[in-house]
């Protein structure tokens, strides 16, 4: 799972990919594979990685596959202190034999189905008639195996002879060492500890200057033709200062944080006064901005901090003194600029924080301390979200149980140092619809001068994910946006060109369409209130009518609108709440459903535990999608989907039923509709009894509403106008007569 997510993330961020195959020593010492089998195992691993790269790079494109012959694969054993690429190994042969030949040509022949023919001293695709191994096995794995077997066999004479052949002599004291340290010394003397790895990075990872153009196009939110962008793309140390802060590290006493960021242009110095622009900043809305002074700078290397006085463009630097207003990421720029500055976009993650828990201090008087601790948690954990619900409880959202566990440990011990009570974990839901609205829903503004009519229906499959992953953007020109929806989702030209907004934000999985006809509606008046209607739609999409959870996968169409001609009668205060109310009523008339988050779970297990795992997963409403043997090992990999709300205690349960032999990893994968109708009032929920599967949606909705301090049921009067209620009653009566 981790490799898959790392590759997907790298491709999303348009980063070059290199691979380190670590723990190669385990193929020799633990799995005891013969060299040929070890080669197939390594080749299979690389093929799997290339499959993932080709699957994910359909959207980004231009990502090179990994290939040892190209030099972007490194073989290593960190435990035994060695690493090499084919190129560094070929260099070793050049050095040993003292013959001046091109090591790169040799390296290109050391991978794949290529064999060495000693009689003609050439490499060919066909094996020699007398039989022989592939070049990788013969020239790389066999010497490696030889060193390992002789050192582990503790045969001093043969070890000396082999190392002598490879041009390495060890002192007598070295041979008195235990097996492990001797192995480490021998291997690192022959292959070099990090030479292969470093060579690979130098060759395949572009420098800050070379990568700047691609990077800026991807992460800078402003126009690409400004002066600032030019200096950032040139990585110019004398240009205006632009720094992208991406992470906050706490000081040892956890009272304040240091900001870690990349200088894209200009030079940052101690004592400099800067503007700190938060994630909510834009040239039109400058509220999220503070002015701070840089007090200290360091180069941050693992656990060491090297103090510096200035850092030019292209460097990563740790900054003290600017963290007070930063929550997750920030942009640092000079106080006075000749043109508008935009921010670097916030970080994107390929998982969501869907598990939440409520906290309160054991001693109520310590609430301010806990609130301060929660602010620090939000700074320290990039994916953690802390907020205060309307009911007054403080909630923390994280990606899973372990994540929340770490957060709570830090909250208690580092950031607030107070004893905290925690509620049982719950999950965030989404609200969606299954059909089109059964009738056109309308709502009038409080002053009775405006009326909006809307319809809700589900979005096409895959569209919500495309919007969230940035495959399509609302900022595109009208024509480009229209073409995307026409070609990929078969929308008609009119609908594709009349998209008003995505919601609840720019990358929200809902769409607002203007489906009115110019012959029926005055478009000028409608466009005058467009912003207000969009705001109402986005407010509604942020907290839906069922239980105040976000709406997902819904298309809202404006079918008709009567707007007052005088600007006084069509202000935001009239239009925004009305737009939200009509969106809600259209939503409730379209068979609303709850959606729950689902984990993708991968379980590593011996074959004899498979049946126990199936039982544990099916008991929790999960289903297994595949169980496949892991090549080259006696283990199996079980892949499954498991609703997040059923995942609490899953790992403990799994270990208990498999005597601790199975190991699982889970990550958020998708949203799924909860079985049952959340608005079915005939369902009776009995306390302390698990609800049957068909009643789950109702149970989740009612419990979520109770937790948020709302009434048990969605009241129709709140969202439907009187005229609408009358129309609904008439429809019901007509239906009754027909029956």
């Amino acid at each position: 799972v981790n490799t898959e997510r790392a590759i997907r993330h790298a491709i999303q961020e348009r980063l070059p990919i290199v691979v380190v195959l670590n723990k190669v020593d385990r193929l020799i010492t633990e799995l005891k594979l013969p060299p040929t089998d070890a080669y197939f195992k390594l080749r299979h691993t690389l093929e799997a990685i290339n499959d993932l790269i080709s699957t994910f790079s359909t959207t980004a494109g231009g990502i090179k596959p990994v290939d040892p012959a190209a030099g972007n694969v490194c073989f290593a054993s960190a435990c035994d202190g060695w690493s090499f690429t084919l190129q560094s190994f070929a260099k070793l042969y050049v050095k040993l034999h003292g013959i001046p030949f091109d090591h790169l040509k040799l390296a290109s022949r050391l991978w794949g189905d290529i064999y060495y023919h000693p009689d003609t001293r050439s490499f060919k695709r066909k094996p020699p008639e007398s039989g022989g191994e592939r070049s990788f096995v013969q020239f790389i794995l066999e010497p490696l195996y030889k060193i390992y077997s002789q050192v582990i066999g503790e045969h001093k004479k043969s070890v000396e002879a082999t190392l002598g052949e490879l041009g390495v002599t060890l002192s007598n004291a070295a041979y008195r060492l235990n097996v492990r340290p001797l192995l480490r010394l021998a291997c690192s003397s022959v292959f070099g500890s990090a030479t292969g790895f470093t060579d690979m990075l130098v060759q395949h990872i572009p420098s800050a200057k070379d990568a700047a153009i691609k990077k800026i196009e991807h992460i800078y939110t402003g126009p690409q033709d400004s002066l600032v962008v030019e200096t950032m793309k040139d990585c110019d140390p004398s240009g205006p200062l632009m720094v992208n802060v991406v992470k906050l590290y706490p000081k040892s006493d956890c009272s304040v944080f240091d900001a870690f960021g990349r200088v894209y242009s200009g030079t940052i110095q101690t004592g400099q006064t800067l503007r700190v622009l938060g994630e909510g900043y834009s040239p039109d809305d400058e509220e999220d901005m503070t002015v701070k002074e840089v007090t200290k700078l360091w180069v941050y290397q693992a656990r060491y901090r090297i103090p510096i006085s200035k850092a030019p463009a292209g460097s990563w630097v740790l900054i003290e003194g600017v963290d007070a207003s930063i929550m997750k990421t920030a942009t640092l720029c000079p106080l006075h600029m000749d043109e508008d500055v935009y921010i670097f976009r916030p970080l994107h993650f390929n998982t969501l924080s869907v598990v939440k828990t409520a906290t309160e201090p054991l001693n109520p008087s310590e609430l301010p301390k806990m609130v301060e601790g929660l602010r620090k948690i939000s700074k320290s954990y990039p994916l953690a979200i802390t907020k205060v619900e309307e009911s007054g409880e403080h909630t923390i959202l994280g990606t899973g149980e372990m994540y929340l566990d770490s957060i709570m440990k830090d909250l208690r011990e580092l950031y607030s140092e107070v004893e905290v009570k925690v509620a049982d974990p719950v999950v965030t839901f989404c609200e969606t619809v299954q059909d089109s609205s059964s009738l056109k829903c309308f709502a009038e503004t409080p002053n009775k001068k405006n009326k909006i009519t809307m319809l809700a229906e589900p979005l096409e499959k895959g569209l919500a994910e495309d919007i969230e992953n940035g495959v399509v953007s609302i900022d595109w020109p009208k024509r480009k946006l229209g073409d995307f929806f026409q070609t990929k989702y078969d929308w008609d030209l009119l609908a594709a060109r009349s998209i008003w907004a995505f919601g609840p934000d720019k990358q929200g999985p809902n769409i607002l369409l203007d489906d009115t006809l110019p012959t029926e509606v005055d478009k000028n008046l409608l466009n005058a209130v467009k912003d207000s209607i969009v705001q109402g739609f986005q407010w509604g999409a942020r907290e839906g009518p069922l239980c105040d959870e976000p709406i997902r996968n819904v298309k809202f169409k404006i079918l008709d609108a009567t707007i007052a001609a005088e600007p006084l009668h069509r202000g935001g205060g009239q239009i925004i709440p009305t737009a939200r109310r009509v969106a809600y009523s259209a939503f409730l008339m379209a068979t609303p459903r709850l959606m729950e988050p689902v984990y993708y779970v991968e379980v590593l297990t011996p074959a004899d535990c498979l049946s126990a795992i199936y039982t544990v997963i099916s008991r929790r409403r999960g289903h297994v999608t595949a169980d496949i043997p892991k090549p080259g090992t006696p283990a199996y990999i079980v892949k499954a989907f498991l609703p997040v709300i059923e995942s609490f205690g899953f790992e403990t349960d799994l270990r208990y039923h498999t005597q601790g032999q199975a190991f699982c990893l889970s990550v958020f994968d998708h949203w799924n509709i909860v079985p049952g109708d959340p608005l079915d009032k005939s369902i009776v929920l009995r306390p302390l009894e698990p609800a049957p599967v068909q009643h789950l949606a109702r149970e989740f909705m009612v419990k979520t509403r109770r937790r948020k301090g709302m009434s048990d049921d969605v009241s129709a009067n709140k969202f439907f106008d009187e005229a609408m209620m009358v129309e609904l009653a008439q429809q019901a009566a007509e239906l009754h007569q027909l029956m």
Side-chain angles (χ1 to χ4, degrees), residues 360-363 366 370 411-412 416-421:
E360 63 176 15
L362 206 58
N363 177 357
E366 290 177 325
M370 188 191 83
L411 180 64
R412 290 184 177 117
S416 65
E417 294 175 351
V418 299
E419 197 40 57
V420 177
K421 286 194 295 192

Side-chain angles (χ1 to χ4, degrees), residues 40 60 83 106 137 147 151 154 224 303 435 450 485 490 517 522 563 668 709 711:
F40 283 121
S83 71
L106 172 62
V137 176
I147 294 174
V151 171
E154 298 187 38
Q224 293 290 324
R303 54 189 151 166
D435 301 312
N450 309 279
F485 279 97
D490 278 346
L517 296 170
D522 185 341
I563 307 293
F668 169 79
S711 61

Side-chain angles (χ1 to χ4, degrees), residues 473-622:
S473 163
I474 194 74
D475 298 333
W476 286 359
K478 269 263 166 71
R479 171 162 292 200
K480 184 179 176 186
L481 194 64
D483 290 348
F484 173 85
F485 279 97
Q486 273 179 282
T487 49
K488 192 162 179 190
Y489 290 105
D490 278 346
W491 284 28
D492 60 68
L493 180 70
L494 196 65
R497 291 276 170 93
S498 55
I499 294 172
W500 269 13
F502 296 158
D505 47 44
K506 266 190 180 174
Q507 286 189 311
N510 304 289
I511 296 181
L512 177 65
L513 282 181
D514 168 21
D515 218 13
T516 55
L517 296 170
T519 49
E520 296 171 4
V521 174
D522 185 341
K523 287 285 189 181
N524 293 335
L525 284 177
L526 187 59
N527 285 329
V529 294
K530 174 178 172 177
D531 288 348
S532 299
I533 295 179
V534 167
Q535 269 180 300
F537 152 72
Q538 292 187 328
W539 177 20
R542 195 169 296 116
E543 36 195 57
L546 295 181
C547 49
D548 260 6
E549 298 284 341
I551 291 178
R552 179 181 180 80
N553 222 13
V554 182
K555 183 198 300 177
F556 291 97
K557 291 179 174 176
I558 304 170
L559 299 179
D560 190 17
T562 315
I563 307 293
E566 306 81 25
L568 178 68
H569 296 315
R570 53 166 201 249
Q574 296 284 340
I575 303 286
I576 296 174
T578 307
R580 171 177 174 241
R581 202 168 70 241
V582 69
Y584 279 173
S585 54
F587 180 91
L588 289 170
M589 295 309 298
T591 326
R593 288 286 181 265
L594 266 190
M595 293 183 100
E596 60 178 349
V598 178
Y599 275 152
Y600 164 71
V601 182
E602 214 171 74
V603 185
L604 191 66
T605 168
D608 54 352
C609 296
L610 282 174
S611 60
I613 289 170
Y614 270 83
T615 315
V616 172
I617 289 175
S618 60
R619 253 211 326 254
R620 292 171 172 264
R621 288 199 297 128

Side-chain angles (χ1 to χ4, degrees), residues 186-212:
C187 290
S188 56
S189 310
V190 175
F191 306 119
S193 54
T195 45
F197 178 61
T198 320
D199 290 349
M200 174 177 77
L201 295 187
V202 170
Q203 208 178 345
H204 290 277
I205 304 291
S207 68
K209 189 163 184 169
D210 298 339

Side-chain angles (χ1 to χ4, degrees), residues 666-681:
S666 50
V667 57
F668 169 79
D669 189 82
H670 63 276
W671 293 93
N672 217 356
I673 290 182
V674 183
D677 178 3
L679 298 177
D680 183 357
K681 292 185 183 174

Side-chain angles (χ1 to χ4, degrees), residues 11-30:
I11 288 173
Q12 258 178 6
E13 297 294 331
R14 297 172 174 60
L15 301 174
I17 294 176
V18 292
V19 173
V20 179
L21 287 172
N22 193 18
K23 303 186 183 177
V24 177
D25 60 301
R26 295 179 66 180
L27 298 177
I28 309 171
T29 54
E30 287 177 32

Side-chain angles (χ1 to χ4, degrees), residues 9 154 159 191 194 251 438 461 474 485 538 574 688 726:
H9 206 115
E154 298 187 38
V159 175
F191 306 119
K251 291 264 196 219
S438 53
K461 194 174 164 55
I474 194 74
F485 279 97
Q538 292 187 328
Q574 296 284 340
L688 302 178
V726 171

